[in-house]
Amino acid sequence: MNAEAIIRVRNVTMAYGSFVVMRDLTFDIRHGDIFIIMGGSGCGKSTLLKILIGLKPPAAGEIFYHDTNFWQLDPEGRKGIMRGIGVTYQSGALWSAMTLAENVALPLETYTDLPANEIADLVSYKLSLVGLAGFESYYPSEISGGMRKRAGLARAIALDPEIVFFDEPSAGLDPISSRSLDELILQIRDSLDATVVMVTHELPSIFAIGNNSVFLDAETRTMIASGDPHTLLKESKDPNVQAFLTRGEKK
């Protein structure tokens, strides 16, 4: 509980023009967390992710990476911080005309001066970490949806990021594949000594691997809870939080 706050969100308002999505967001993401951004549909989970990874500025408020005020940096300064993170998307977002090896190699070729043989070795290692050893020459269309998500993760960790962001990683997966991906996320977090930030509404994943969270409420347009999801389930008195965390339970 005393781990360093690696990302600090302070009084953030998210908006599209004059329409306010969320206001007064204040929370910390600690080193080593598997931090869950959760809430019902339309609450702004994906918008918050975009703000955290530099795709959209907040309407108000501040975001600090360690002690650096992220959105006060110039574009080059923000790019420097973003090279220390990895991002995975719902579909994997792989380049369809490139093999898995070529997809994973792309950030290494773009941001390092490593020779081709060392890049090839790193690519094989990263693919093996996500259970795709031997699939270097396959194209995204030749593998399953779950495998594409794993390949996207291999690309996201190519540069050994300090923080890995996930956007609905279990979307479209069957329960067994989803649980396997949860276990992989834990392994990657531990092997890289990384921090994980994950947008999800999947309760099995939230309770299986999440240890910190923020709950965004579309009705009040602000956060109404934060902390360990298990603690929120036991102690939160807010009916919206309870309704979300007990979905599907038999009465």
Side-chain angles (χ1 to χ4, degrees), residues 90-237:
Q90 288 188 32
S91 64
L94 300 170
W95 294 99
S96 60
M98 300 171 70
T99 65
L100 300 192
E102 290 168 339
N103 269 281
V104 178
L106 190 58
L108 292 163
E109 293 168 347
T110 303
Y111 296 114
T112 77
D113 296 320
L114 293 173
N117 63 317
E118 289 187 26
I119 288 178
D121 288 343
L122 279 171
V123 166
S124 293
Y125 173 63
K126 299 300 182 181
L127 285 170
S128 70
L129 279 181
V130 301
L132 290 176
F135 285 85
E136 286 84 352
S137 63
Y138 282 66
Y139 287 88
S141 62
E142 297 175 322
I143 60 177
S144 69
M147 294 170 75
R148 285 195 290 273
K149 288 177 183 284
R150 288 172 174 263
L153 176 54
R155 184 180 59 188
I157 64 172
L159 296 172
D160 293 333
E162 181 182 26
I163 310 167
V164 185
F165 290 87
F166 291 85
D167 184 14
E168 298 283 4
S170 300
L173 297 183
D174 61 83
I176 294 175
S177 298
S178 179
R179 179 57 186 161
S180 177
L181 184 59
D182 288 342
E183 293 171 354
L184 177 60
I185 290 170
L186 283 173
Q187 293 168 11
I188 294 298
R189 189 274 308 268
D190 293 342
S191 65
L192 294 179
D193 190 27
T195 299
V196 170
V197 181
M198 185 163 67
V199 169
T200 186
H201 66 277
E202 300 286 348
L203 290 181
S205 294
I206 289 170
F207 288 121
I209 63 176
N211 74 302
N212 198 3
S213 70
V214 63
F215 187 93
L216 307 183
D217 181 54
E219 183 178 335
T220 58
R221 297 188 188 179
T222 191
M223 57 182 284
I224 57 175
S226 63
D228 189 311
H230 297 87
T231 302
L232 296 182
L233 177 63
K234 292 177 182 178
E235 299 180 2
S236 176
K237 305 300 183 184

Side-chain angles (χ1 to χ4, degrees), residues 77-92:
R78 289 198 299 274
K79 286 180 182 178
I81 287 181
M82 300 322 293
R83 289 190 188 112
I85 74 167
V87 183
T88 70
Y89 300 94
Q90 288 188 32
S91 64

